[in-house]
Amino acid sequence: QIEIRVEEDWDIARYSLLSQYLKREGLPFACYTEDKGLVTPEGADVEGILIVDPVDGSRPHLAGIPVACVSVAVVRPVGEPTFADIAEGCVLKIAGDEVYWARRGEGALAVQGEERIDLISSEVDDISKMACVFEIAGRPMPLVATAIAPLVDASSLSGGAFALAARAASSC
């Protein structure tokens, strides 16, 4: 049994469980987390890199806002991976039983319990009509505001600009 000091240890404790599982099962994956950075198993030729946020949205979850989720992406093992190297991803909402999964070139799937959820692609191709969701978890705030201002200004009247605490859950 693991005792977890909520804000500080949630991600670290869950990463530890993931790391133990990968090792026990002999799965050749490196892991990247915001707390640990890139960790590669000793002496293993990795098949991929797991980008993991074990509790994406822990702060709002603690405040009673049910947007926390487990976020995992699988990246091909290349020198300096980019978004283009993501092969597949999965998001599991912690408060509920929704799972969202996508594989490059094969589309996306969503399920709630045993039921499939129909996903609808957006036809929006104009940034002023786009609804965008972003997270503000970093500082200094003046730099964050400067970076997102053009997007918010362009989309907030005809589309929408929404600040949520868990990026992955907000995209579901």
Side-chain angles (χ1 to χ4, degrees):
Q1 190 173 35
I2 298 173
E3 184 176 319
I4 300 172
R5 283 191 326 270
V6 174
E7 179 93 24
E8 299 159 27
D9 291 346
W10 267 21
D11 283 347
I12 294 169
R14 277 151 182 82
Y15 169 76
S16 178
L17 293 173
L18 173 63
S19 180
Q20 292 169 23
Y21 173 80
L22 292 172
K23 186 174 185 176
R24 182 179 67 244
E25 298 298 318
L27 299 171
F29 288 91
C31 286
Y32 181 89
T33 67
E34 61 188 338
D35 295 310
K36 297 280 188 181
L38 181 63
V39 178
T40 304
E42 292 181 31
D45 288 329
V46 297
E47 291 181 13
I49 301 167
L50 299 178
I51 300 173
V52 181
D53 191 341
V55 186
D56 185 6
S58 55
R59 279 171 279 186
H61 185 73
L62 293 170
I65 302 168
V67 295
C69 58
V70 178
S71 307
V72 180
V74 180
V75 179
R76 294 183 285 261
V78 296
E80 293 187 31
T82 66
F83 278 111
D85 297 306
I86 295 175
E88 58 189 292
C90 183
V91 175
L92 167 68
K93 290 181 82 172
I94 292 172
D97 56 356
E98 293 175 40
V99 179
Y100 299 84
W101 174 84
R103 179 176 285 163
R104 185 171 299 282
E106 295 184 24
L109 171 68
V111 294
Q112 183 171 24
E114 301 291 322
E115 300 293 318
R116 186 177 178 137
I117 301 170
D118 290 328
L119 299 174
I120 302 168
S121 296
S122 173
E123 300 295 325
V124 176
D125 60 1
D126 179 349
I127 198 167
S128 70
K129 293 179 175 46
M130 177 183 77
C132 64
V133 179
F134 53 88
E135 175 182 12
I136 301 175
R139 294 174 292 280
M141 191 56 203
L143 292 177
V144 174
T146 299
I148 64 172
L151 180 61
V152 172
D153 289 345
S155 65
S156 63
L157 294 178
S158 298
F162 307 96
L164 294 179
R167 285 184 304 266
S170 66
S171 46
C172 296

